[in-house]
Amino acid sequence: DLIGYDALTSYGSPAYHAQKMFSTMHGDEILATDSQNIPTRTWQRRGRGGAMGAPQQIREVFFDATRDAPSGVIYLKVVNAAATAQRINVQINGAKSVRSKGEVVVLAGKALDDTNSITEPDNVVPRKEKADGLSANFTREFPAYSVTVLQVKTK
């Protein structure tokens, strides 16, 4: 459920906030992305009758990037499904310059099953922060169990 409610109040679920972040912070150009050394974990599918499928390696970090052509802002979206923070090296190719300051919006829980409720409507909500130290090649730590949209200003 994206929105929970009772007779007097309502709240957005973490999934609601993630969808709102993705739908409001994006560019009009999809940028090519590549990755190396993405952390993985072992996962087993449960079949009928509880039988376990073959173990598979699945990613714990997902990402994409778009650019708003008129403003030059790059929106880098990173989802860290791991239980630990992940340090990721980001390289931006093709921009004439990258400003060292930008903005970041982070939606993160303390545990995988953290959620919002009538009594705790703001347990997992997006937090806006200033981002410093950005360049054409920088490293940033993405919190455990998080969805992050990093806004990088370019020319």
Side-chain angles (χ1 to χ4, degrees):
D1 294 336
L2 294 178
I3 299 172
Y5 57 90
D6 67 8
L8 300 175
T9 59
S10 64
Y11 64 92
S13 70
Y16 165 83
H17 292 296
Q19 288 197 22
K20 184 174 179 185
M21 289 167 63
F22 284 177
S23 70
T24 59
M25 293 181 267
H26 62 83
D28 53 5
E29 299 175 20
I30 298 171
L31 302 179
T33 58
D34 193 8
S35 64
Q36 297 174 3
N37 304 319
I38 296 294
T40 62
R41 66 178 170 87
T42 302
W43 176 76
Q44 281 186 285
R45 179 184 316 264
R46 290 187 187 263
R48 293 179 190 212
M52 300 300 283
Q56 300 174 358
Q57 291 298 309
I58 61 169
R59 287 179 162 207
E60 289 190 308
V61 176
F62 306 87
F63 55 89
D64 81 352
T66 60
R67 177 178 36 227
D68 180 64
S71 68
V73 172
I74 293 175
Y75 295 91
L76 175 64
K77 296 174 182 148
V78 178
V79 177
N80 179 9
T84 58
Q86 299 293 322
R87 290 187 58 78
I88 306 288
N89 178 255
V90 177
Q91 296 176 359
I92 299 172
N93 298 321
K96 293 178 184 173
S97 68
V98 176
R99 294 190 186 158
S100 64
K101 295 181 187 247
E103 290 184 0
V104 64
V105 179
V106 179
L107 175 69
K110 294 180 182 91
L112 189 57
D113 59 353
D114 275 359
T115 193
N116 297 331
S117 66
I118 291 291
T119 57
E120 291 183 286
D122 297 325
N123 189 38
V124 182
V125 295
R127 309 265 186 234
K128 222 180 235 192
E129 306 167 8
K130 298 293 182 191
D132 292 323
L134 305 177
S135 67
N137 187 353
F138 65 95
T139 300
R140 182 165 185 91
E141 186 169 280
F142 294 89
Y145 306 125
S146 68
V147 174
T148 302
V149 179
L150 183 60
Q151 299 174 38
V152 180
K153 298 176 182 175
T154 68
K155 290 186 178 182

